Amino acid sequence: MVIAERGLALRPSELSDDEPLGGETLRISSMGLLGIFTRLEDELDSPLPDDLFAGRSYKTVRDLVDLAVEGAEGSPAR
């Protein structure tokens, strides 16, 4: 998972879905979040549609999982 590759001493299975992105464990800043979005686009080999961002906020691991699922569903087949 993209979050787990940030150099954490945790395995992805140790992160709960409701873990706050900006909390003490992950400490993801707004710039870090932009980097995650870019990495997701690279992994999906497709830009994330703008409508995935309109009126939404990304505060927890679950929010990013949902974004990745929705982005993957909207990306063209490889």
Side-chain angles (χ1 to χ4, degrees):
M1 178 176 199
V2 173
I3 295 173
E5 294 173 356
R6 293 178 37 90
L8 296 174
L10 297 171
R11 291 177 291 202
S13 63
E14 294 176 307
L15 288 174
S16 68
D17 288 346
D18 61 346
E19 183 70 47
L21 299 175
E24 288 298 313
T25 301
L26 296 176
R27 298 178 185 191
I28 298 173
S29 67
S30 57
M31 291 303 292
L33 194 55
L34 287 175
I36 289 171
F37 294 157
T38 301
R39 180 70 189 274
L40 283 173
E41 289 179 326
D42 290 345
E43 292 290 323
L44 296 171
D45 198 28
S46 177
L48 295 169
D50 290 340
D51 63 339
L52 289 180
F53 301 100
R56 291 176 72 173
S57 61
Y58 296 90
K59 297 182 186 270
T60 65
V61 169
R62 169 55 61 198
D63 294 336
L64 290 183
V65 169
D66 291 345
L67 171 70
V69 168
E70 291 178 51
E73 289 172 351
S75 67
R78 293 185 194 192

